[in-house]
Amino acid sequence: MHDKRIGAAILIIGLVIISACSGKGIGSSDSSSASSTLPISESFFIFDTVVSVRVYDERMSEAHFAQIKKLLERINETMNRFEEGSEVASINQAAGQAAVQVSQETFHVIKQAKQYAERSGGKFDPTIGPLTDLWAIGNGGSRVPDRAAIEQARQLVAYNMLELDEDRTSVKLAEAGMTLDLGAIAKGYAGDVVAEYLQKQGFSSAIIDLGGNVVALGNKPEHAVWTIGIQSPEEKRGAHLGTIAVRNKTVVTSGIYERYFIDQEQIYHHIMDPATGFPVSNELASVTIITDKSIQADALSTAVFVQGLQEGLAFAEALDHVEAIFVTKDKKVHLTSGIKDIFKLTSEDYSLAE
Ligand code: ADP
Ligand code: MG
């Protein structure tokens, strides 16, 4: 009698532990995974977005998640320009006056940002800050600023006046009023850092999602690939227009649905055209980049969005190991040649181009 009761109590405790684990897991309704407790997941709020990390491995622990949180916080505290005392904030404060010495890591990200600016002929420009501040889209802005102010801000967007000293790892903005803004690249970098950490800890199957910047590590257990949903523009987060089957890839989307305001029936979103000083206005609703490094995917998704369909498609096609999905406002989907076999349209509202 006595033994049976203890046995029942242990069973109940066991069940509570199992349900607690699966309750934690985002998307743990996944019945195809090896164990009902997988993935083991955790969410963080950082970079103004929800970051979710789902690991398909029973060894994943609270200590690992705590370490990931630390990594994300470190990047936020050095590269977020809105974070008081961050390295990027210091660079901005010293604009027009002095070079600021920064960590290797921050220098590396800024250097890459400048390279994407050069390669895209300034369509991607990490000195976009004066324009993002002026428009403040997703940050309280609700009206088109006056022309003179736009023109003034536009003059201060100039990646060639972002001076990098490799030996001292120092950074200087040549003119007062210039502002470095790593908003289009830092989340991608963070995705790579988390992926690298997990790999070093011996985890080989995980999904890292930084508000739409996805890193798909390895493959899904018992599957050859992951199936990643491609966000449908103009719909709330989570609605997909199609899927892509990948392993060990990063999938990053930039679109007009992320942050915007509407003024006189015109939509003003957060991806700026440095040439006009206005939010990009072209045929595109979103661009998704599929590649190996998330820092690259993040920068390219913004760069290619600014380029527009034709130029962007040619640009992406010319790069090795880079694939792209372009979705136009008239609901056509254009693909680079390397992903025609692995992309699947799932929404009837959209159609494949050609
Ligand atoms: P999200 O951050 O929503 O995932 P993006 O990766 O496209 O989207 O980044 C958009 C952010 O990048 C903006 O909020 C702004 O900080 C910055 N940005 C906007 N336009 C440009 C541009 N042309 N070049 C570089 N950065 C930009
Ligand atoms: Mg980006």
Side-chain angles (χ1 to χ4, degrees):
M1 253 328 246
H2 205 69
D3 281 347
K4 247 191 196 165
R5 271 223 303 267
I6 293 170
I10 289 170
L11 185 69
I12 287 167
I13 291 168
L15 285 175
V16 169
I17 290 170
I18 287 172
S19 62
C21 287
S22 60
K24 240 174 65 178
I26 299 166
S28 59
S29 55
D30 223 320
S31 58
S32 57
S33 60
S35 158
S36 60
T37 63
L38 295 179
I40 298 174
S41 33
E42 188 79 67
S43 298
F44 312 91
F45 189 78
I46 210 150
F47 311 124
D48 213 17
T49 34
V50 177
V51 176
S52 93
V53 179
R54 311 199 293 262
V55 182
Y56 289 73
D57 192 317
E58 261 124 17
R59 295 167 305 157
M60 189 65 191
S61 70
E62 282 307 323
H64 290 120
F65 283 126
Q67 198 55 42
I68 289 172
K69 185 161 183 259
K70 260 193 173 162
L71 292 172
L72 292 170
E73 279 171 353
R74 185 189 75 212
I75 297 168
N76 189 53
E77 281 160 15
T78 50
M79 301 184 205
N80 186 343
R81 70 190 180 104
F82 296 113
E83 200 66 43
E84 235 188 87
S86 76
E87 293 183 326
V88 171
S90 301
I91 293 167
N92 290 341
Q93 226 164 17
Q97 298 166 36
V100 174
Q101 199 184 352
V102 296
S103 59
Q104 286 284 348
E105 184 178 41
T106 301
F107 189 83
H108 162 79
V109 173
I110 296 171
K111 188 180 163 188
Q112 294 233 8
K114 189 171 176 181
Q115 283 171 355
Y116 285 109
E118 287 161 350
R119 282 178 211 157
S120 68
K123 302 262 160 129
F124 174 94
D125 193 325
T127 67
I128 200 77
L131 281 172
T132 43
D133 280 340
L134 179 67
W135 285 82
I137 292 163
N139 205 6
S142 60
R143 299 188 46 201
V144 177
D146 73 64
R147 298 290 163 131
I150 292 173
E151 202 41 43
Q152 200 182 10
R154 198 179 66 81
Q155 307 279 337
L156 291 166
V157 176
Y159 67 89
N160 56 342
M161 292 204 287
L162 169 62
E163 300 171 357
L164 306 186
D165 183 332
E166 189 97 42
D167 297 331
R168 293 186 56 233
T169 66
S170 71
V171 181
K172 184 181 177 191
L173 294 166
E175 224 169 280
M178 286 182 73
T179 313
L180 190 60
D181 173 355
L182 300 178
I185 193 167
K187 269 192 290 176
Y189 173 72
D192 290 333
V193 168
V194 175
E196 199 177 301
Y197 169 77
L198 286 172
Q199 269 174 321
K200 275 201 182 135
Q201 296 296 314
F203 298 109
S204 56
S205 180
I207 295 284
I208 304 150
D209 186 341
L210 298 96
N213 285 34
V214 175
V215 181
L217 197 65
N219 51 280
K220 190 173 184 181
E222 292 165 17
H223 291 71
V225 290
W226 296 103
T227 303
I228 306 292
I230 305 301
Q231 167 77 29
S232 154
E234 295 155 32
E235 279 176 76
K236 62 177 191 294
R237 188 162 278 298
H240 296 154
L241 64 88
T243 61
I244 183 153
V246 293
R247 81 182 297 285
N248 250 333
K249 289 281 175 196
T250 177
V251 181
V252 174
T253 302
S254 279
I256 56 175
Y257 53 84
E258 284 290 339
R259 297 163 204 263
Y260 60 86
F261 66 77
I262 294 172
D263 189 18
Q264 301 191 1
E265 288 173 40
Q266 179 76 29
I267 180 165
Y268 297 94
H269 58 80
H270 73 321
I271 304 169
M272 310 302 298
D273 186 342
T276 63
F278 277 71
V280 172
S281 176
N282 60 25
E283 65 280 75
L284 294 175
S286 74
V287 174
T288 300
I289 300 285
I290 300 107
T291 181
D292 298 325
K293 284 273 176 243
S294 210
I295 187 169
Q296 181 190 27
D298 198 6
L300 285 181
S301 69
T302 306
V304 161
F305 190 97
V306 183
Q307 289 173 329
L309 178 62
Q310 269 202 321
E311 189 186 334
L313 197 53
F315 186 78
E317 199 70 81
L319 294 169
D320 285 339
H321 311 291
V322 172
E323 300 297 338
I325 301 166
F326 295 79
V327 182
T328 57
K329 287 172 182 158
D330 65 357
K331 297 189 165 24
K332 294 268 193 312
V333 180
H334 299 252
L335 307 170
T336 50
S337 51
I339 47 165
K340 302 215 158 137
D341 296 338
I342 57 169
F343 175 81
K344 209 166 100 190
L345 195 66
T346 56
S347 167
E348 286 177 355
D349 295 341
Y350 294 81
S351 64
L352 282 172
E354 290 159 321

